[in-house]
Amino acid sequence: MNRILTTLILIIASLHAMAARHSYSINESWKFYQGEHSGAQQSEFDDSTWEFISIPHTWNDQDALDDTPGFYRGDGWYRRNIYIGPEAGEKQVYIYFEGSNQLTELWVNGNYVGEHIGGYTRFSFDITEFVNPDSFNQFAIRVNNSHNVDIPPLSADFTFFGGIYRDVLLTFTEKVHISVTDYASSGVYITTPAASPEKADIQIRTILENKTDGARHVKLQQTIISPTGEEVARKITSMNLRTGRHEHTEKKLTINNPVLWDTENPALYSVYTRVYDHSSNQLLDEIFNPLGIRWFEFHPDKGFFLNGKHTKLIGTNRHQCYLDQGNALNDQMHVRDIRLLKEMGGNFLRVSHYPQDPVIMEMCDRLGIITSVEIPVVNAITQSETFTQNSIEMAREMIRQDFNRPSVMIWAYMNEVMLRLPMERDTEEYYTYAESVAEFGRQLEKTIRQEDPSRYTMLAFHGNLDVYEDARLVELPMLVGWNLYQGWYGGQFSGFNDFIDNFHQKYPNIPMLISEYGADADPRLHSFESERFDFTGEYATLYHEHYLRAIMDRTFVAGANIWNLNDFHSEYRGDSMPHINNKGITTLDRKPKNSYLLYRAALRKDPVLMIGSKDWQVRGGIADENGRTFQPLKIYTNLDSVEVKVNSTSIGKKAVESHIAQFDIPFVDGMNTVEASAEHDGRIIRDIYHVDFRQVPANLRSTNHPFTELNVMLGSKRYYEDKLSASIWLPEQPYSEGSWGYTGGKPYQPRTRFGVLPASDVNIHGSSHDPLFQTQRIGLESFRADVPNGRYAIYMYWAELDSGFEHQTLAYNLGQDKMATEAAKRSFDVLINNKVVLGNFDIAGQIGAERAMIKKFEVNVQNHQGITISFNAHEGQPVLNAVRIYRMY
Ligand code: GCB
Ligand code: CA
C-alpha cells in the first residue's frame, strides 16, 4: 500500500473512531503549589516557580510521617495548560475526577466552573462552554483538606491525605449522549428483578442528554454479551429527545439459562448501551457496563447465601495508602491489593471507610470478591443540616457510581458513630445527640433503600451495644457489622465469643457479620512470650487463630473482614511504629505477615505450605552447651503433616493442627537453612527459609566462640530486628556468672484502667527505632556482661517515658484507656567499671521527655573484669532502656 493511501485510511478510521465518545487521562505535567494563593485561578497567572507533579498526587506523603504533630491541612493549587484538539469542536467536554481530597474547585480559562464536596467519591463537570478546541486551555484547581465540620469524616483512625490523588480524565461526547453528570455515574443502571438458573430478567434504566437546541430522533440500543462473547439479548427503542434530560427504562430483556456470577466463577456479561441517530444510523454514544447474574441473602441464623448456596464470607478491610506514596496510588497498585486478597483465598472485601478507586471495584467484579462499600461517616456526626445533606449526597454518589458492580452487595453508612461522643454519656445533651444520630441514620437508611432496593444496608458498631441501642441504630439497617478487638485493646480472646453469642441471643433476627477484628504486628518485633499490646507478629497470629476458629464455628456469623488487608497511615498514632496502624496482615509495602499465611492456609483449596516469619532475616539468641539455640517456628499449611530439615538434617515430622505445625528449630551461629516439606498426591510441596542467626555464647569468655556484640532491650520480652543495620536486639535476662544481664529493678509497665501494658506506646521523637526506647528497666542496680579483655564501644539508650504529656484521646484504643502519668523526676550518675561517666544525668531535664538519647562510650576491659554498668541515684530511680556492647578490638 502506498503511503498516501495508508494515511487516508488512518484519517478515515480516526474520524470514524472520533464519533461517539472518547476519553483520556490528563495526569501528567501539572504545576503545584501548596498554600493559599490569590489570583492563581486566572489564566495569565505566572506559575513558572511552581513545582511539576503528576497525578495521583498528595501533599502529605512526608509530613504525615514526621515527628512534628499534625500534617498540612489547607489549600493546594494545581495548574496546567492542556491542549484540546480540533476533534472537540462540536462535542460536549467533561472533566472527570476519580477522587480528590476533600473540597475541589475548578476554573477553566479563568472562569469558575464549580466545586465538589468530599474526598472519596468521583465527580464530573461539564466544561463545554469554557474550553476552546484546537488550542491550549488553562485549568486551575484548588483543593482543600482542612477540617470541615460539615464534611465527613470528622475524625478517624486514618490520615486524610490532601490532593488530587486519583486519576483525572477528559471525556468528549456528542451533543446527544448518555449522561456523564448523573452523580458521575455511567448514566446506566442495570438491575436483575428476577434471577434463577433458568432465566434472568434484566432491567436497564438509561439517562440521556440532548444538549442541542432542537429535538433529535434517536435509537437507543441495549445489547447483552455473554461471558464467552455471544450476543444473548438486544432491544432497540426509538425515541424523540427534546432538549434536556431524558430517562428510559428497558424492561424486556431476558437471558435464558444464565451463567451465574459467584465467588469461584465470577462470570461477567457485558452490557453495551448505544445511541444512534435515527435516520443516518450514526453512532452517537456507547457505554459499557458489567453485569453479573446472582442473587443473595443474609440469614440471621444460617449466614450468607449466594445463588442459594451457603458461602462463608471471609476477607479483609482495605485502606488505600502505601509506603512513601500516601494515598496517591496508580491503578496497578490498586489492582495488586485485590490480587493479594484473592491469592489469600479471600472472597469478601469491606471497602472501608470510604468508596475507593474504580479499579478496586472492577477487580472485585472480575475476581469474585463480594464487597461492602461505605461513605466516610466515622466516629461522630455534626448535628447540622449541611452535614446531613453532604452525607446523603455522598451516599447517592457512592450508590450510583458503583451501581452496576455485581460484587457490591452491601451499602454501609456509619462506622462506630457513637465512639467519639462530643459530650459525657448519660447527660441530657447525650440523649439529644443520640436522637440526632437516630434521625441522621433514618434519613440515610431511607435514601439508600430508595436509591437501591436490591442491596443490603449495614452499620458497623464498636463493642458497646448500649450506645447503639440509645441511638436506636441496632434495628435500623438490614445487617449489623461488629468491629471487635477483645484481646487486643483490652480483655481476652474469649470475650469475643461471649460478645457475639450474647448479641445473637438478644437479637436473634438480625443478620450479622464481623466487620472488623485485628491486632497490631510490627514486622520488626518478635516474642516467644507474646502478650496483649506487645505489637509482635507472634501475638497477632494467636489473636487471628482464635478469631478465625470462633468465626468459622458459628453459622450465624455470615462473614468477617479482617482489620486490615494492609498496614496504613494514621497520623496521630504512637505505638511501636508512629503514624502507622500495624493491624495489616500485610505491611505498608504489602509483604505478607504470618497472619496472612494463616488465612491462606485455611482458605485455599490447592496445596499450601509456607514457613512463617520468613521476613525475620536476622535472628539472635544465646547458645546452649551444644552451640545451638532453640526457637519456635510455625509452618502454615493445609496438608496433614510436615517434615522439617535444619541445615540439611531432618528434625522430624509433625501432624498439622488447625493449619499449623510448630517446630523448635535448633539454630546455629551464622547462616541457617530451614526446609519444610509435605507430600500431596505423590508430589512434594516445600518451602525454604534462610536466616542469619547471631548467637551470643552462653559463656562470653569462651574461646571457641569469640564475643563480638550484644544488643539488649531492658524491661523487654521482645526481640527487635533493626532492618536498617541488619542487627538483632534481644530481650533482657537476669545476670549470671560468665554471662550478661541486669541486677535489680523492674520493667516499666504503663498502667491502664484494666491492667498494664508491656511497653510504652508513645511516639519517641528523634529515632525511627521507637521500640528500642519504649521499654526500660526502672531502679536497676547494674547491667553486667562478662566479656573477654579487649576494647569495647558501649552504647546506652534512654528515653524518659513518664512525661506527664497529654496525648490526643486515644479514641481508637477501644477500652485501652491508658492512665495519665506524672512527669518523672530523676537524676543519677552512670558508672562503667566503677568510674563515673555521666554525672547528675537527668534525661528529661536535658533533652525533654519522649525523646531518644543514645550515649556512646569506649572502654578497655582488662584483668577479666568484664563490663559493669552501675548507677548512683540522686533523685527518683535510675533507668536504662537498651544497651549495645560492641567489641572494637
Ligand atoms: C476501629 C475502626 C478503625 C480503626 C481500628 C483500630 O474500630 O473502625 O478505623 O483503625 O478500629 O485499629 O483501632
Ligand atoms: Ca484510578
Side-chain angles (χ1 to χ4, degrees), residues 491-723:
Q492 281 163 5
F493 296 157
S494 59
F496 170 71
N497 309 23
D498 299 342
F499 189 94
I500 54 179
D501 291 343
N502 289 339
F503 176 74
H504 183 56
Q505 207 169 29
K506 188 161 182 196
Y507 292 96
N509 298 319
I510 299 185
M512 68 105 113
L513 46 88
I514 311 302
S515 34
E516 286 180 25
Y517 66 104
D520 288 76
D522 178 336
R524 304 168 302 176
L525 284 168
H526 296 276
S527 175
F528 305 126
E529 298 168 69
S530 66
E531 52 197 317
R532 186 174 77 75
F533 235 76
D534 67 3
F535 295 89
T536 65
E538 286 73 13
Y539 187 79
T541 35
L542 290 179
Y543 175 102
H544 281 287
E545 286 164 29
H546 176 91
Y547 273 66
L548 178 59
R549 215 173 298 128
I551 287 161
M552 288 305 199
D553 282 352
R554 288 167 174 74
T555 41
F556 71 85
V557 177
N561 302 99
I562 300 160
W563 188 262
N564 191 20
L565 174 64
N566 52 295
D567 286 349
F568 59 94
H569 299 82
S570 178
E571 195 276 338
Y572 78 88
R573 266 188 186 266
D575 301 346
S576 68
M577 200 184 279
H579 316 299
I580 308 290
N581 183 317
N582 280 124
K583 290 192 193 68
I585 54 171
T586 68
T587 59
L588 256 191
D589 55 352
R590 309 305 193 256
K591 296 206 181 75
K593 303 183 189 174
N594 280 6
S595 39
Y596 180 93
L597 307 188
L598 169 70
Y599 287 95
R600 192 166 182 271
L603 299 174
R604 282 189 73 116
K605 307 241 158 58
D606 56 340
V608 162
L609 180 139
M610 296 155 304
I611 299 177
S613 312
K614 275 169 77 175
D615 64 328
W616 193 358
Q617 291 291 302
V618 181
R619 288 183 177 238
I622 302 161
D624 67 11
E625 57 284 1
N626 301 315
R628 297 176 308 181
T629 310
F630 283 89
Q631 287 185 354
L633 184 70
K634 282 181 177 172
I635 320 287
Y636 297 92
T637 179
N638 53 7
L639 304 174
D640 298 337
S641 68
V642 178
E643 182 178 1
V644 165
K645 285 185 190 155
V646 180
N647 301 320
S648 305
T649 309
S650 175
I651 61 161
K653 213 173 189 173
K654 268 198 175 169
V656 175
E657 255 176 73
S658 306
H659 312 289
I660 296 172
Q662 182 166 314
F663 287 83
D664 256 338
I665 309 292
F667 289 105
V668 294
D669 193 44
M671 286 309 294
N672 290 255
T673 303
V674 179
E675 185 185 323
S677 62
E679 223 188 275
H680 174 77
D681 272 355
R683 240 175 3 116
I684 302 289
I685 318 279
R686 76 178 92 236
D687 194 14
I688 292 184
Y689 170 35
H690 298 287
V691 58
D692 183 357
F693 201 96
R694 309 279 172 82
Q695 249 180 6
V696 181
N699 179 346
L700 298 181
R701 292 190 190 114
S702 74
T703 45
N704 53 0
H705 196 139
F707 176 88
T708 49
E709 76 179 83
L710 173 67
N711 307 313
V712 180
M713 293 191 285
L714 278 304
S716 173
K717 293 180 190 159
R718 309 189 290 191
Y719 292 77
Y720 176 75
E721 183 184 15
D722 171 355
K723 294 186 190 255

Side-chain angles (χ1 to χ4, degrees), residues 228-504:
T228 45
E230 291 96 44
E231 183 173 314
V232 289
R234 176 194 290 208
K235 279 279 170 314
I236 301 177
T237 317
S238 293
M239 293 177 75
N240 201 24
L241 303 181
R242 271 167 300 159
T243 310
R245 185 178 187 274
H246 300 265
E247 248 187 74
H248 174 265
T249 305
E250 175 58 66
K251 294 187 174 158
K252 295 219 183 80
L253 289 153
T254 58
I255 302 174
N256 292 320
N257 306 316
V259 194
L260 303 181
W261 184 96
D262 68 26
T263 55
E264 265 141 56
N265 177 32
L268 287 172
Y269 287 80
S270 307
V271 176
Y272 290 96
T273 303
R274 297 188 176 102
V275 185
Y276 294 95
D277 181 84
H278 204 275
S279 47
S280 71
N281 257 340
Q282 190 205 347
L283 178 66
L284 300 175
D285 202 1
E286 174 187 285
I287 268 282
F288 163 89
N289 271 290
L291 166 66
I293 300 184
R294 82 283 187 266
W295 62 98
F296 53 92
E297 190 199 346
F298 286 91
H299 189 279
D301 278 324
K302 298 185 196 133
F304 178 73
F305 292 81
L306 179 60
N307 305 332
K309 192 178 126 206
H310 180 257
T311 307
K312 191 91 174 186
L313 297 175
I314 303 286
T316 67
N317 288 266
R318 185 231 182 205
H319 264 303
Q320 62 184 5
C321 54
Y322 192 91
L323 181 74
D324 294 335
Q325 312 251 145
N327 59 351
L329 273 59
N330 65 17
D331 285 354
Q332 296 89 304
M333 298 182 80
H334 292 296
V335 165
R336 181 232 207 143
D337 279 2
I338 305 304
R339 282 228 172 97
L340 260 174
L341 173 56
K342 183 73 184 178
E343 236 298 296
M344 182 183 90
N347 60 8
F348 193 26
L349 178 69
R350 177 166 172 241
V351 182
S352 57
H353 288 308
Y354 41 77
Q356 300 191 5
D357 196 281
V359 301
I360 288 289
M361 307 311 296
E362 286 164 27
M363 281 302 283
C364 290
D365 284 349
R366 282 212 303 133
L367 298 184
I369 308 265
I370 288 163
T371 61
S372 168
V373 188
E374 64 198 46
I375 55 167
V377 176
V378 183
N379 288 356
I381 64 161
T382 301
Q383 296 162 271
S384 79
E385 189 49 28
T386 323
F387 184 87
T388 305
Q389 284 317 316
N390 284 340
S391 306
I392 288 177
E393 286 291 287
M394 278 181 199
R396 290 217 165 94
E397 292 176 314
M398 163 179 86
I399 294 167
R400 296 194 191 186
Q401 291 166 9
D402 287 322
F403 192 88
N404 298 325
R405 314 270 186 206
S407 56
V408 177
M409 302 201 186
I410 303 166
W411 299 121
Y413 56 95
M414 284 194 259
N415 181 71
E416 304 185 350
V417 69
M418 297 296 279
L419 182 71
R420 268 215 172 176
L421 297 171
M423 67 284 294
E424 289 281 300
R425 255 190 87 174
D426 296 329
T427 57
E428 205 173 301
E429 266 179 294
Y430 165 77
Y431 288 104
T432 314
Y433 180 73
E435 186 40 52
S436 303
V437 173
E439 178 50 27
F440 176 86
R442 281 193 292 269
Q443 291 197 45
L444 272 149
E445 183 74 24
K446 195 168 129 215
T447 307
I448 297 177
R449 292 206 198 184
Q450 270 168 358
E451 285 282 326
D452 186 0
S454 76
R455 265 108 176 179
Y456 279 76
T457 58
M458 183 175 83
L459 291 181
F461 301 145
H462 76 282
N464 186 349
L465 182 55
D466 298 0
V467 283
Y468 296 97
E469 289 177 330
D470 289 346
R472 284 178 283 139
L473 295 180
V474 182
E475 280 154 305
L476 180 65
M478 298 160 80
L479 195 58
V480 160
W482 282 107
N483 300 348
L484 298 175
Y485 292 91
Q486 289 85 353
W488 178 250
Y489 287 122
Q492 281 163 5
F493 296 157
S494 59
F496 170 71
N497 309 23
D498 299 342
F499 189 94
I500 54 179
D501 291 343
N502 289 339
F503 176 74
H504 183 56

